[in-house]
Amino acid sequence: MASMQSASKPRLVASDLGGTLVPPRADSLPSATIAVLDTIMAAGVAVALVTGFNLHTANRMVAGLNGSPWLLVQNGTLATRCGRIAWEHGLAVDEAEKLVRRLEALEIPVVVYRSLSRGGRPEYRGFGLFRRGAPFRPVPGFTDFSGITGVSTQIGNDRVGEVTAALNGSLPMNSRLISSRGNTRTWLEVTPFHARKDQALKRLCSELDIDPADVIYFGDNMNDLEALEMVGFPRVVADGLPELRRIYPQVAASVHQGPARELARIYGLADIPGL
């Protein structure tokens, strides 16, 4: 964990999206948050939006921005900027098949993400429990296990222990299970080991020649923990998980645009409508 904060302002602004910059039940950045991020990017400060969502959803959420942030999606599996793919991680074919078959046997929703650099589209098998819109393609079953970059499911919180125990016996080598808990439902996602928010941030910091001590990161859930641990300016929104709020400095809740308010304070931005 970065123990000391840089005396200067952060050189990289990084944040989770859903539940942090985008309030719960909203599907896009609030207008004041857009204004703050655009002002920061126009001043030459790098911005990275780090999310468990897929690229399609992330692009929809940030569509109002004029600037071009880095998008580190699927917990860092894929990194893009200005429509260019910087990196993408994947799972081995045989291990991906074993994992998908295990989830299918549980008869719970299965979402399979495929390599965008190879032209793949995400697919899902819902078992009648949910439907996904574009760009997801519904399938009656999975037959192709090449080019898979991640596998996930959404289940009721009461089944998390059961499904986690089942998955732990089927995890591919060099992979990890990520949990993102909501009020009633939890997303469980298996990604390649290096597809972690903190690992993605470390790689981006290296490419941008920025010390992690000069990074501010905003989060709200347990899949943000390692990223919060590594940066010099960790922040948690007031409507984030209490486990994180007990450890790290808080900003106002996402519904009150807490991260935007904190950035406006740090960078001396005044007269932002809506803040």
Side-chain angles (χ1 to χ4, degrees):
M1 177 178 179
S3 58
M4 296 183 61
Q5 295 185 357
S6 167
S8 62
K9 294 180 176 65
R11 296 179 57 205
L12 172 63
V13 171
S15 179
D16 170 56
L17 270 176
T20 302
L21 290 186
V22 178
R25 294 176 292 281
D27 60 3
S28 61
L29 292 171
S31 59
T33 297
I34 289 173
V36 168
L37 293 178
D38 274 335
T39 301
I40 289 171
M41 286 187 283
V45 178
V47 170
L49 304 178
V50 193
T51 178
F53 289 123
N54 61 82
L55 182 61
H56 176 81
T57 300
N59 276 328
R60 186 183 71 241
M61 287 182 161
V62 305
L65 289 172
N66 291 319
S68 299
W70 286 87
L71 292 179
L72 310 181
V73 303
Q74 291 175 238
N75 292 296
T77 299
L78 174 70
T80 74
R81 186 170 184 267
C82 299
R84 180 183 66 85
I85 295 176
W87 70 74
E88 190 173 29
H89 302 290
L91 297 170
V93 174
D94 57 337
E95 294 181 335
E97 179 175 8
K98 178 182 177 183
L99 173 63
V100 170
R101 295 299 189 213
R102 187 70 187 92
L103 286 171
E104 287 183 312
L106 293 170
E107 295 190 352
I108 56 178
V110 184
V111 178
V112 166
Y113 298 98
R114 296 192 180 276
S115 172
L116 295 185
S117 59
R118 296 168 56 179
R121 286 180 58 190
E123 300 171 340
Y124 78 94
R125 184 179 181 188
F127 286 98
L129 299 177
F130 69 32
R131 298 179 61 83
R132 306 290 291 174
F136 290 85
R137 184 171 68 90
V139 296
F142 298 97
T143 57
D144 180 8
F145 300 93
S146 62
I148 291 179
T149 61
V151 179
S152 69
T153 184
Q154 187 186 45
I155 53 175
N157 289 344
D158 60 330
R159 295 197 66 187
V160 171
E162 168 204 350
V163 175
T164 298
L167 284 177
N168 281 335
S170 305
L171 288 181
M173 293 178 61
N174 297 318
S175 72
R176 69 192 300 260
L177 177 62
I178 299 172
S179 174
S180 182
R181 188 176 78 224
N183 290 332
T184 61
R185 303 189 70 78
T186 292
W187 277 101
L188 295 175
E189 181 166 10
V190 178
T191 65
F193 178 76
H194 292 293
R196 271 180 15 185
K197 289 188 174 186
D198 62 318
Q199 297 287 351
L201 274 180
K202 286 178 183 177
R203 179 168 178 173
L204 183 59
C205 284
S206 178
E207 294 192 7
L208 299 179
D209 194 25
I210 293 175
D211 192 307
D214 294 322
V215 177
I216 187 169
Y217 184 86
F218 298 94
D220 77 310
N221 216 314
M222 291 309 294
N223 62 344
D224 297 307
L225 177 61
E226 291 121 336
L228 290 164
E229 288 175 340
M230 68 164 279
V231 302
F233 299 83
R235 299 289 189 272
V236 177
V237 290
D239 46 349
L241 291 183
E243 296 97 312
L244 300 180
R245 290 190 279 109
R246 283 195 291 265
I247 303 172
Y248 297 106
Q250 289 186 53
V251 299
S254 61
V255 293
H256 300 304
Q257 301 186 76
R261 293 177 185 275
E262 177 73 346
L263 292 173
R265 181 191 69 80
I266 290 173
Y267 292 99
L269 308 181
D271 302 322
I272 301 292
L275 288 187

